[in-house]
Amino acid sequence: MTVAEHEEKISEFFVNHLKLKNLKLIVPVKTIKKLNAIYKSVFHSAKNFEELNSCFCEFKNQLDLSPAAFCELKKQFEKKMALQPSILTECFIAQTLANFWGLDKFEDLDAKGFIPSEISNILFGIKNKRDGASFRYIYFNDKADFVLVQCGDSSTIDAVFIKEKIGIRIEFKEELAKINEVDIPSYDDCGKLLVGNDFKLKYPYYAPFVDIFNRKTNVFEMMGHNFRLADYLDEESSKRIVENVVDAKFINAYILLKGNSLVSVLGKNLHSSVEFSGSEIRTAGKNAKKLWSVDFAKNEISKLGGKIADGKVFLPLNEKMYVTGRGMDIVTRYKINPLIFVRIEHTNVEGGIISFAFEKIEQLKPTISLHLSPL
């Protein structure tokens, strides 16, 4: 049996065994959302981790079920950072899988600093490891017949399941999750999306939808709204996007959340197991760069009753301008409109007027993304 054939065999073993049982999350999604909300609201103000931890007393029993979730709360608090998106959900999914496979031992490799001797041969002996995905948490048992590794880098896969020295790469997806999101570099003064040859070569499957957007509308007309891709996605185009994502990340299997149930799907069967109604072009994504629509920004400032003098902007401040940081509960920037903003550290507020250098304005890049949810 070749390594590729062995990999396919273990992938089918993993997915098919999970399908035999209607596996439920050990903690409901609703509770995980509450844990995220609690952390977001208090991590900046808590004086120490003990104070933060006391805020979770109502959910202590649920939090005790996942040592990885507890570790994530502690690590991020000590760094005074927001939680990574979806990380608590991933921790509870991993623990649910560990319980299913009878993996009753847990190690935090970040804290331990080394791999336990009883499983080091297994981890270092993987025949088909594809990249340098970092191992953060390990779930195993005395028999070491199966090992589940939760990875720590958001740019790679979420977990690896190891059996017979073969590691299969697994992605966890919340309901209505993005399978892929790509920044669109910019747009012109008419709001038409601009993509160069580099974009077209790297993402040829998205280029036709950029053209559709430009024929139908523009960023300024759609400001504050998203452009639905689902109206233009057909079977062939959506399949092409999914296959490119799965192949690029060498994903063997997906665990999809449907309510509180875990749905296991082989990577090669993902397209036929999901629908894509939430797919969209967002006129303002999460990444920004230095302002490029200069005249547009000047007009918007004028509309808001502001003025520009000697390269400095003066604007009446109102609560609609406040934007909290991702995963935080504190204001990190002021929104001039849905497309442009200034970071709070570059501003001064006095007498209800916010002032800042015009050159400090940033502009959000559009994005195109494919969203999926299980059928």
Side-chain angles (χ1 to χ4, degrees):
M1 186 186 303
T2 66
V3 171
E5 289 170 340
H6 201 175
E7 186 177 310
E8 186 170 354
K9 175 188 170 186
I10 301 302
S11 300
E12 290 175 352
F13 170 88
F14 176 83
V15 167
N16 292 337
H17 273 69
L18 291 175
K19 280 183 176 179
L20 293 174
K21 185 174 181 181
N22 183 19
L23 203 57
K24 299 280 188 182
L25 264 177
I26 54 171
V27 169
V29 170
K30 187 176 180 180
T31 300
I32 298 172
K33 288 181 179 178
K34 288 180 180 177
L35 295 175
N36 274 299
I38 291 170
Y39 182 86
K40 178 180 177 180
S41 66
V42 300
F43 86 94
H44 265 290
S45 59
K47 296 181 180 64
N48 50 52
F49 183 70
E50 288 69 28
E51 182 179 331
L52 175 82
N53 196 29
S54 68
C55 299
F56 293 99
C57 58
E58 181 185 349
F59 302 102
K60 182 181 183 303
N61 291 340
Q62 292 92 331
L63 198 52
D64 286 347
L65 295 175
S66 170
F70 180 84
C71 289
E72 282 299 315
L73 294 172
K74 192 169 191 293
K75 288 174 189 176
Q76 293 303 100
F77 175 77
E78 288 173 349
K79 292 186 284 189
K80 287 296 179 183
M81 292 179 67
L83 291 170
Q84 291 178 11
S86 306
I87 188 63
L88 293 187
T89 303
E90 292 171 14
C91 289
F92 283 107
I93 291 175
Q95 188 64 57
T96 302
L97 294 174
N99 293 354
F100 176 81
W101 294 109
L103 309 178
D104 55 3
K105 290 192 173 184
F106 171 86
E107 290 287 357
D108 174 2
L109 293 187
D110 288 344
K112 201 174 188 72
F114 63 91
I115 295 173
S117 57
E118 60 264 46
I119 57 169
S120 60
N121 288 339
I122 295 173
L123 296 186
F124 292 122
I126 300 175
K127 298 176 183 177
N128 62 329
K129 194 166 185 289
R130 303 278 191 172
D131 62 17
S134 60
F135 292 166
R136 182 176 291 184
Y137 305 118
I138 301 181
Y139 307 80
F140 60 105
N141 58 23
D142 287 329
K143 293 187 293 182
D145 45 358
F146 311 129
V147 173
L148 181 68
V149 182
Q150 193 176 338
C151 300
D153 187 346
S154 59
S155 66
T156 185
I157 38 89
D158 296 321
V160 177
F161 176 78
I162 306 165
K163 174 180 163 60
E164 299 171 9
K165 293 188 177 181
I166 293 292
I168 66 163
R169 296 161 58 82
I170 306 164
E171 279 274 283
F172 303 150
K173 289 295 179 187
E174 294 179 322
E175 205 158 0
L176 299 175
K178 296 172 189 170
I179 185 177
N180 184 236
E181 183 173 29
V182 174
D183 283 346
I184 296 171
S186 65
Y187 42 88
D188 64 19
D189 290 340
C190 296
K192 299 298 183 181
L193 300 175
L194 298 173
V195 294
N197 288 332
D198 286 349
F199 182 95
K200 292 176 182 178
L201 287 171
K202 193 172 182 180
Y203 311 109
Y205 42 84
Y206 278 143
F209 299 104
V210 171
D211 291 339
I212 291 171
F213 177 93
N214 285 340
R215 288 200 305 271
K216 297 283 185 181
T217 185
N218 65 74
V219 171
F220 302 128
E221 188 177 284
M222 292 290 296
M223 187 168 63
H225 303 280
N226 298 325
F227 182 78
R228 277 175 49 86
L229 285 188
D231 296 337
Y232 308 97
L233 273 171
D234 57 26
E235 182 83 5
E236 183 180 346
S237 58
S238 60
K239 187 174 183 179
R240 189 180 176 200
I241 297 171
V242 169
E243 288 177 348
N244 270 274
V245 172
V246 172
D247 291 345
K249 296 182 77 172
F250 304 106
I251 301 168
N252 300 104
Y254 281 85
I255 297 295
L256 311 174
L257 277 183
K258 187 173 185 178
N260 293 314
S261 295
L262 272 58
V263 179
S264 59
V265 180
L266 288 170
K268 64 182 182 181
N269 295 337
L270 179 65
H271 181 264
S272 59
S273 306
V274 296
E275 56 94 14
F276 307 97
S277 60
S279 302
E280 61 192 3
I281 289 178
R282 298 179 65 193
T283 53
K286 60 185 178 182
N287 297 322
K289 63 180 183 180
K290 187 175 180 179
L291 175 73
W292 70 86
S293 300
V294 174
D295 290 341
F296 166 74
K298 289 178 178 178
N299 288 335
E300 290 298 301
I301 290 166
S302 178
K303 285 179 187 176
L304 293 171
K307 64 178 183 177
I308 304 171
D310 297 325
K312 200 166 186 178
V313 178
F314 299 87
L315 263 178
L317 180 64
N318 64 73
E319 290 187 0
K320 291 181 180 179
M321 297 174 71
Y322 297 165
V323 180
T324 57
R326 190 173 187 183
M328 302 180 185
D329 208 25
I330 60 171
V331 175
T332 59
R333 63 191 189 190
Y334 295 114
K335 178 177 68 174
I336 299 170
N337 70 21
L339 304 179
I340 56 178
F341 70 93
V342 62
R343 298 184 191 276
I344 195 169
E345 60 265 28
H346 299 314
T347 65
N348 183 59
V349 178
E350 189 174 346
I353 300 294
I354 178 175
S355 60
F356 51 89
F358 184 82
E359 67 178 14
K360 293 298 183 182
I361 298 174
E362 296 180 52
Q363 192 162 351
L364 292 162
K365 292 187 283 187
T367 64
I368 185 166
S369 58
L370 194 71
H371 296 234
L372 56 80
S373 58
L375 293 172

